[in-house]
Amino acid sequence: MWNSNRAPGGPTPGPCPGVDVTRDEALQLMQEHTLSPSLRQHMLAVEAAMRAHASKSGGDPETWGIVGLLHDFDYEKFPNSEHSPTEGHPAWGVRLLRERGLPDAMCRAILGHATYSGVPRDTPLAKTLFGVDELCGFLVACALVRPSRSFADLELSSVKKKLKDKAFARGVNRDEVRQGADELGVPLDEHIAFVIQALRPVEQALGLGGGGGGGGGG
């Protein structure tokens, strides 16, 4: 189980209510298992979107943020192209998180973001993780090709146009982007606009908007 009693570094808040892990400890675990700057960037983006959604829907931003920060931490080492529900990502990572004492609801949300896990998305936390995961990847790709490399001037119309271009960011599952909005019960346009707004304040931490971080820190 994580030690939640030591003081976290910098301005990071303390442990989540009822969760024996700090954001610093979650970030350290993610970085230990993930060397890819782009994958680190993705998890930081999903963390920001999860925090924004928690504030909107009455969830705990620390809990939701940590789920976003850790949802793909095992992907680089155990990518699971076979889509096994019990081996590789995210099953491997969740086993480790359970050993560390992460609560069941958080573990189930992480499992549920991979449809092949067979774990239903039956909580707002789980539905939100699935809803922002692919979309965050797509929005980062959209920002990267702008002259500004920023979310500040990224418009909904541009994102929708690129969603129709199957050659752009072809690794992003468009069906899951739409399904994510459906499961959250919000129009796709509203969902996209909300996540863009959530990513704007953290873009420098993502290495965008003139920031040079490359997604390595938080």
Side-chain angles (χ1 to χ4, degrees), residues 104-212:
D104 185 63
M106 298 172 74
C107 290
R108 285 178 60 83
I110 292 173
L111 287 171
H113 91 273
T115 300
Y116 57 81
S117 72
V119 176
R121 293 183 287 273
D122 51 11
T123 65
L125 175 62
K127 290 177 181 178
T128 303
L129 179 61
F130 180 76
V132 303
D133 184 22
E134 289 292 295
L135 179 56
C136 280
F138 192 77
L139 293 178
V140 167
C142 289
L144 283 170
V145 299
R146 299 190 68 77
S148 63
R149 289 174 57 89
S150 174
F151 296 111
D153 58 355
L154 178 61
E155 298 179 355
L156 174 63
S157 58
S158 175
V159 175
K160 291 178 68 178
K161 183 177 180 180
K162 286 181 168 59
L163 275 172
K164 295 177 181 177
D165 180 2
K166 295 181 180 180
F168 178 79
R170 63 183 64 205
V172 173
N173 188 321
R174 268 69 166 171
D175 291 337
E176 289 194 355
V177 169
R178 297 181 179 90
Q179 183 182 349
D182 288 343
E183 291 189 12
L184 286 171
V186 297
L188 180 60
D189 287 10
E190 179 182 322
H191 183 44
I192 294 171
F194 181 84
V195 177
I196 291 174
Q197 290 286 347
L199 295 179
R200 282 176 177 165
V202 300
E203 65 174 22
Q204 289 197 0
L206 304 180
L208 297 170

Side-chain angles (χ1 to χ4, degrees), residues 41-88:
Q41 177 191 58
H42 172 67
M43 284 180 273
L44 289 166
V46 172
E47 177 196 13
M50 291 293 289
R51 286 177 175 271
H53 266 283
S55 298
K56 174 186 177 183
S57 59
D60 175 56
E62 292 300 303
T63 298
W64 288 42
I66 285 174
V67 166
L69 190 59
L70 292 175
H71 80 286
D72 275 349
F73 88 94
D74 60 339
Y75 184 86
E76 186 173 277
K77 293 183 177 179
F78 305 96
N80 194 5
S81 59
E82 299 83 8
H83 288 179
S84 167
T86 57
E87 304 298 327

